Amino acid sequence: MLLKIACAQPEITAGRPDLNTEKILQIIKEAAHNGADILFLPECAVPGYLIGDLWEQTSFIEDCEAYGQDIINATADYDICVVFGNIALDRSKVNEDGRVRKYNAAFAAYRGKALGNGRLPYNFVIKHSLPNYREFDDSRYFYSLAQLAAELNTTPEALTAPVMLNIKGQSVKLGMMLCEDGWTENYHFNVPQTLARGGADILCNISCSPFTLNKNAKRHRLFGAQAKTAGLPLVYCNNTGIQNNGKNIFTYDGCSCVYNANGILAAEAAAYDETILYFNFDTETKNINAETMPPASADETSAIYKAVRYGTEKFLQQLGIGKMVVGLSGGIDSAVTAALYVDILGPQNVLLVNMPGRYNSGLTKDMAQKTAQALKANYMVVPITDSVENTYNQLTQTPVVNYNGGGQFNLSVSPYVMENIQARDRGARILAGVAAAFGGAFSCNSNKTEITIGYATFYGDICGAVAPIGDLWKHDVYALGRYLNSKVFTHPVIPEEIFTMRPSAELSPEQTVGNGGDPLVYPYHDRLFALFIESWRKTSPADILRWYSEGTLAGHLNCPQQLIDETFKDAAGFIADLERWWKLFCGLAVAKRIQAPPVISISRRAYGYDHREAQLNPYFSREYYKLKNELLNK
Amino acid sequence: MLLKIACAQPEITAGRPDLNTEKILQIIKEAAHNGADILFLPECAVPGYLIGDLWEQTSFIEDCEAYGQDIINATADYDICVVFGNIALDRSKVNEDGRVRKYNAAFAAYRGKALGNGRLPYNFVIKHSLPNYREFDDSRYFYSLAQLAAELNTTPEALTAPVMLNIKGQSVKLGMMLCEDGWTENYHFNVPQTLARGGADILCNISCSPFTLNKNAKRHRLFGAQAKTAGLPLVYCNNTGIQNNGKNIFTYDGCSCVYNANGILAAEAAAYDETILYFNFDTETKNINAETMPPASADETSAIYKAVRYGTEKFLQQLGIGKMVVGLSGGIDSAVTAALYVDILGPQNVLLVNMPGRYNSGLTKDMAQKTAQALKANYMVVPITDSVENTYNQLTQTPVVNYNGGGQFNLSVSPYVMENIQARDRGARILAGVAAAFGGAFSCNSNKTEITIGYATFYGDICGAVAPIGDLWKHDVYALGRYLNSKVFTHPVIPEEIFTMRPSAELSPEQTVGNGGDPLVYPYHDRLFALFIESWRKTSPADILRWYSEGTLAGHLNCPQQLIDETFKDAAGFIADLERWWKLFCGLAVAKRIQAPPVISISRRAYGYDHREAQLNPYFSREYYKLKNELLNK
């Protein structure tokens, strides 16, 4: 039998079952009209997935359940089987937190009825593997198939079976699973192969899986291998749109696809495209026939830009922000951010503000203006010199009365304090005020390198509505700048000097473009910091020192040995640098991240609730002190 | 046989196995010296518990394992059995995230060896019940006994047994469990009763359990009942100190205790006291003999003050903050906060700053000064009038160049924008600058009522190092003010007028003390907002409206019906009010909380990672619209 299969990747709005259901009903109509026999929709298509503790609100989840019933009912009107994800409740049981029993469930609805797999006491299928890493909190909200099996004194295997669909006078067995169920590497129960052994004709994984750089390549390997091992085609259905956990804004690229029984990608929907992928499935031969070929995969910078632009655009739309204000220093971070907003909102809706103080060079002021001109944006120059001086005078000249010992005294303000006063004058006084007056919000231009070590001022530059480049290392920001010039604007909106001058905060006489820039050697520190946060086993100072001692550090950093040799004259210098940044990374920078804006998240580990942090004091292990001692006494 | 039992409640430093181990070794020495046969120490006593994703750092957890071995080794030197919590690793297996297998484990060490229960393939006991609600993320880090049982194709029951200790020539069976294992309400496997059936002589629950208002009373009920059912004494061992998850600072009150075999509290250590509780246990009769009686439980306000004071003090110590700056408006929140810091740091280390603008009344300025005088603190008055005017002028008079269409224009600044400019001038310009110049940090004085609806300005008043009253409703703040006057300072440091005048933000002509205060009826809204955030099933607008329709709302709010009747003239007014605050609660207030400082957390649900939130658009369910329609068309 030949079945036409539709795989939709709607833009899901988290927390809006009303909007999502309306959209789903429209898609059912369209897919049925196009002759599809089976329609796949993503995991949690009704409620959305990243809704935080809204899962605890009984009223909300009951609403989602009712909308799900509407979808099931709607299948009575068409000859199409609809597979979709929703929350499922069992009011007779509780979760381990005492709240009503909730499952992350997949429904297969046909002719107005939800089918069920005949093994579970429900007419839906339950997610077995609940991810509890990165941004995922599945066990916080959902009861797993593993838990249910234990509760029922049975095994997950005994509860797992394909869903039998009788369509066109024949039966098809749908091997349904949810997202993590397909990522079988570290679970002792293998959902897809159990479904295959159970006689499935086709495997299908419905997901709500955010974009992560290079994740799709890994999925193609893993899911392709599952399809091949099972000897069955595997459909992957994922939504588009954005969802957030408060601190991290994730983009969902869709990229719904089908792997044939040999594990080869047979058809794939375009990234971030709210579309429906159609293909034919021959139930006898298990062949997949798709008219379109999978699109070529994008290079890394273009993938990053696509995600950052999509995430930022959708987030601003969600917040109802149509105008953005960007502090434009004349450096690379603000230039890239400014160009991004102009690309999203159009130049007329972007106001760029240069805020020179005592230490800003003619060069950067000139660069700021040139960037604004090239971007055709709105531009203003608001100097901070007078205001900063007034603050200095007010703080130092206002007497402090001592009601304890009596008398009074005056505060003194150090040059370091003056640096932060400048930064806060720009962020909290000018940008926040200008944004409100302009009728929009202002941007946080911090990059991941700065955020790692808190090289930013509280309520100064680490503030704003969103940090679009907050998950990009400094070298990624430069690459994005090149990309904006060459591919997005196709002319140099970011002047060449911005790429070639040394980056500097320009907050003190020592910190100027000409006179000494940022205290970081970006090609080295970008990579070092990436080990701290992005490596799976969380590289520690002890690891770094061990590799440095062994002479293998360059390999771990993926940089030339020469870079390390030229940056540090000896082990003492290397260690001092490592400790300086480690202490900031684990110390004050954590406090700053706690109060930082949400970050558009694209890497394998972004700051926020993706990477959870307590405010602790920096720690060095015994091995670290041993290695340090050995190195310094060599 | 009579055994002397010691139950220690050390102040654990999260993320510092070196310091914790040093302390534990000292306690072992002391308890052995005092003749104890068994010493109990808390869950995760070596690593601490709330350390965020530091659990993922292999180097750190291996260090904790090595320190744990030091503790085990140390028992060779004494005739004492030490029960303590630590992370345990199995390098031959992985967690479901692919990282090394980690258990939240209890060790019983005696004569240099860890004993084990003879059922598990390890020489330690594994936590069965992993909490994944509120601040708990156990499944993110630990593999549970339930998961291990499934992996080994067996049951948790088969792996659960007491640990046999041969001491003084006889054997004692220790029924060891970890924290949540004792909170059996919603788990289908009951750890304490399984241990009892397995022949335990005594049950012991080692915990790392933060203070929550009224939680100890519930624990006494539950754990007492477990002891009684088992017919065995139950030891509860909990640490002191503070731990945080970035957004929430929790206090650990210890309150280690023992319930006798009848379920009666027989002895209890004082709250927040880093002490060792001793008692005797007769292994034949199961009798518990303690010399001291459990202390009387504190009234609610005194319990709140104790927790808030302890949490704030320890947090400042941890951050190395010895001086605090508080913006003192003349209202209740800042007065209470100021008094708190004076109580903690002494008046010489507190600088109170009154920052009058155009709309501040003589009354509040006077109140601020009187409070500072009564507290004997340092005090300064830094007016914001000129600076705010300068900002207004700079924003409105600086031309904006339009590089798109050409020409230029000027921004206009509305009165609403001016309100926020004032707030930011106070917080980000003055307080942040004064704090740095004074050599300390500044405080966030926001209360829970304001935080619920975002009645605060970004980078204005919802900023600072910590929010000590951020988990207190407005009525709690008033009660704390009374308590500070009568019990802490024993004279009115907070002037009477502050209690009696109507609270106001004083940011506009409409918002003044004389002319109209905050847009909230605190006795009503405090209770309404508490239902939104603190009720277990997360009360929704549909619930509220249903109760309002049914006439049961006053009961749910625990307030007189008259309050509702007087506050709203009709259903339309009631609904408009509900929607106004619900939209803010789910909307802009979330954005503000994402960037808010950490909160000293004492309630059953505090803002932060205790209550996780995505930035979503406010949602009203179908039931809500139906009820609203019915009410408005009555």
Side-chain angles (χ1 to χ4, degrees), chain B residues 476-489:
Chain B
D476 296 322
V477 179
Y478 280 109
L480 221 54
R482 293 287 181 201
Y483 182 86
L484 280 156
N485 280 355
S486 63
K487 305 286 181 185
V488 180
F489 290 89

Side-chain angles (χ1 to χ4, degrees), chain B residues 165-315:
Chain B
L165 167 67
N166 290 303
I167 195 166
K168 291 181 165 182
Q170 292 193 37
S171 74
V172 196
K173 288 181 172 169
L174 304 176
M176 284 159 50
M177 63 189 135
L178 290 117
C179 202
E180 185 82 353
D181 288 338
W183 299 79
T184 55
E185 280 175 304
N186 303 307
Y187 294 88
H188 53 82
F189 177 63
N190 188 313
V191 179
Q193 300 311 325
T194 305
L195 290 166
R197 281 197 305 274
D201 293 302
I202 185 168
L203 299 175
C204 46
N205 183 303
I206 64 169
S207 284
C208 176
S209 185
F211 168 82
T212 299
L213 203 57
N214 304 319
K215 191 166 84 174
N216 284 343
K218 185 176 179 190
R219 176 167 51 76
H220 291 330
R221 281 200 308 278
L222 282 176
F223 283 25
Q226 292 289 358
K228 195 174 172 187
T229 304
L232 297 176
L234 191 160
V235 182
Y236 169 74
C237 179
N238 185 31
N239 57 286
T240 53
I242 58 161
Q243 300 194 31
N244 75 85
N245 62 16
K247 283 291 199 187
N248 299 104
I249 298 149
F250 295 100
T251 69
Y252 291 75
D253 53 353
C255 292
S256 298
C257 65
V258 59
Y259 306 91
N260 68 22
N262 296 318
I264 308 297
L265 188 65
E268 186 181 29
Y272 300 112
D273 189 3
E274 194 174 22
T275 186
I276 305 177
L277 182 73
Y278 291 94
F279 52 88
N280 292 314
F281 167 51
D282 185 325
T283 56
E284 272 101 77
T285 63
K286 311 293 180 208
N287 274 353
I288 294 291
N289 280 304
E291 285 177 19
T292 52
M293 286 303 296
S297 62
D299 70 281
E300 189 165 303
T301 303
S302 124
I304 291 175
Y305 187 70
K306 206 162 187 174
V308 168
R309 190 195 186 286
Y310 184 84
T312 308
E313 179 176 30
K314 296 288 174 185
F315 190 60

Side-chain angles (χ1 to χ4, degrees), chain A residues 63 134 140 383 394 609 619, chain B residues 63 134 140 383 394 609 619:
Chain A
D63 211 40
R134 292 202 59 192
R140 186 175 176 91
Q394 207 175 10
Y609 306 165
Y619 182 70
Chain B
D63 211 39
R134 292 203 57 193
R140 185 175 176 91
Q394 208 176 9
Y609 305 166
Y619 182 70

Side-chain angles (χ1 to χ4, degrees), chain B residues 552-572:
Chain B
T552 60
L553 181 60
H556 284 279
L557 290 172
N558 195 20
C559 79
Q561 179 64 40
Q562 200 187 347
L563 178 61
I564 301 172
D565 297 341
E566 284 175 6
T567 308
F568 307 104
K569 65 177 202 314
D570 56 17

Side-chain angles (χ1 to χ4, degrees), chain A residues 14-18 50-54 56-60 63 66-67 70 94-99 132-134 137 139-140 143 147 150-151 186-188 244-247 315 318-319 347-348 351 369 372-373 376-383 390-391 394-395 398-404 409 411-412 417 424 428-429 432-434 436-437 442 459 463-464 536-538 540 542 582 594-598 605 609-617 619 621-622, chain B residues 14-18 50 52-54 56-60 63 66-67 70 94-99 132-134 136-137 139-140 143 147 150-151 186-188 244-247 315 318-319 347-348 351 369 372-373 376-383 390-391 394-395 398-404 409 411-412 417 424 428-429 432-434 436-437 442 459 463-464 536-538 540 542 582 594-598 605 609-617 619 621-622:
Chain A
R16 291 303 299 269
D18 52 342
L50 287 180
I51 60 170
D53 290 349
L54 185 54
E56 295 174 0
Q57 194 197 96
T58 310
S59 173
F60 175 79
D63 211 40
Y67 276 110
D70 288 359
V94 293
N95 274 9
E96 290 176 348
D97 64 1
R99 294 187 179 89
N132 293 293
Y133 52 82
R134 292 202 59 192
D137 269 336
S139 292
R140 186 175 176 91
Y143 211 75
Q147 288 169 297
E151 186 186 48
N186 304 308
Y187 295 87
H188 52 82
N244 76 84
N245 60 15
K247 283 290 198 187
F315 190 60
Q318 188 197 310
L319 298 185
Q348 69 283 7
L351 171 50
Q369 194 194 1
Q373 266 178 314
K376 299 195 167 85
N378 299 295
Y379 183 65
M380 70 195 292
V381 178
V382 188
N390 287 342
T391 297
Q394 207 175 10
L395 296 191
T398 305
V400 180
V401 181
N402 177 352
Y403 281 129
N404 190 17
F409 61 93
L411 297 170
S412 63
V417 171
R424 287 189 298 265
R429 191 178 70 88
V434 168
F442 71 102
Y459 326 124
C463 55
W536 200 246
R537 64 198 302 277
K538 294 288 169 85
S540 74
W582 181 258
I594 289 168
Q595 298 191 40
R605 209 66 187 270
Y609 306 165
D610 178 355
H611 169 73
R612 298 181 190 176
E613 300 180 286
Q615 230 174 312
L616 305 172
N617 288 320
Y619 182 70
S621 66
R622 282 200 281 204
Chain B
R16 291 301 300 265
D18 52 342
L50 287 181
D53 290 349
L54 184 54
E56 295 175 1
Q57 195 197 94
T58 310
S59 175
F60 174 79
D63 211 39
Y67 276 110
D70 287 359
V94 293
N95 273 9
E96 290 177 348
D97 65 0
R99 293 187 180 88
N132 293 294
Y133 51 83
R134 292 203 57 193
F136 301 111
D137 269 335
S139 293
R140 185 175 176 91
Y143 210 76
Q147 288 169 297
E151 187 186 48
N186 303 307
Y187 294 88
H188 53 82
N244 75 85
N245 62 16
K247 283 291 199 187
F315 190 60
Q318 187 197 310
L319 298 185
Q348 69 283 7
L351 172 49
Q369 195 195 0
Q373 267 180 313
K376 300 195 166 78
N378 301 295
Y379 183 65
M380 70 195 294
V381 178
V382 187
N390 287 342
T391 298
Q394 208 176 9
L395 296 190
T398 305
V400 180
V401 182
N402 177 350
Y403 281 130
N404 189 17
F409 62 93
L411 296 171
S412 62
V417 171
R424 286 189 297 265
R429 191 178 70 87
V434 167
F442 71 105
Y459 327 123
C463 54
W536 199 246
R537 63 199 301 277
K538 295 288 169 85
S540 73
W582 180 257
I594 289 168
Q595 298 191 42
R605 210 64 187 270
Y609 305 166
D610 177 355
H611 169 72
R612 298 182 189 174
E613 300 181 288
Q615 229 175 311
L616 306 171
N617 288 318
Y619 182 70
S621 65
R622 281 200 281 205

Side-chain angles (χ1 to χ4, degrees), chain A residues 204-233:
Chain A
C204 45
N205 182 303
I206 64 169
S207 285
C208 177
S209 186
F211 169 81
T212 299
L213 203 55
N214 303 318
K215 190 165 86 175
N216 283 344
K218 185 177 178 188
R219 176 169 50 77
H220 290 331
R221 280 198 310 277
L222 283 177
F223 283 25
Q226 293 288 0
K228 197 176 170 186
T229 304
L232 297 175

Side-chain angles (χ1 to χ4, degrees), chain B residues 66-137:
Chain B
Y67 276 110
Q69 191 56 50
D70 287 359
I71 296 171
I72 295 167
N73 295 343
T75 63
D77 304 335
Y78 310 97
D79 192 27
I80 187 170
C81 172
V82 177
V83 175
F84 69 98
N86 193 11
I87 182 85
L89 308 183
D90 183 340
R91 288 172 180 73
S92 69
K93 295 180 172 181
V94 293
N95 273 9
E96 290 177 348
D97 65 0
R99 293 187 180 88
V100 65
R101 175 67 55 84
K102 290 183 278 292
Y103 301 107
N104 185 342
F107 290 81
Y110 186 57
R111 303 205 181 233
K113 281 196 178 144
L115 300 176
N117 72 356
R119 301 280 187 91
L120 283 161
Y122 304 112
N123 61 352
F124 48 81
V125 165
I126 295 168
K127 191 172 180 179
H128 170 271
S129 303
L130 301 187
N132 293 294
Y133 51 83
R134 292 203 57 193
E135 72 275 17
F136 301 111
D137 269 335

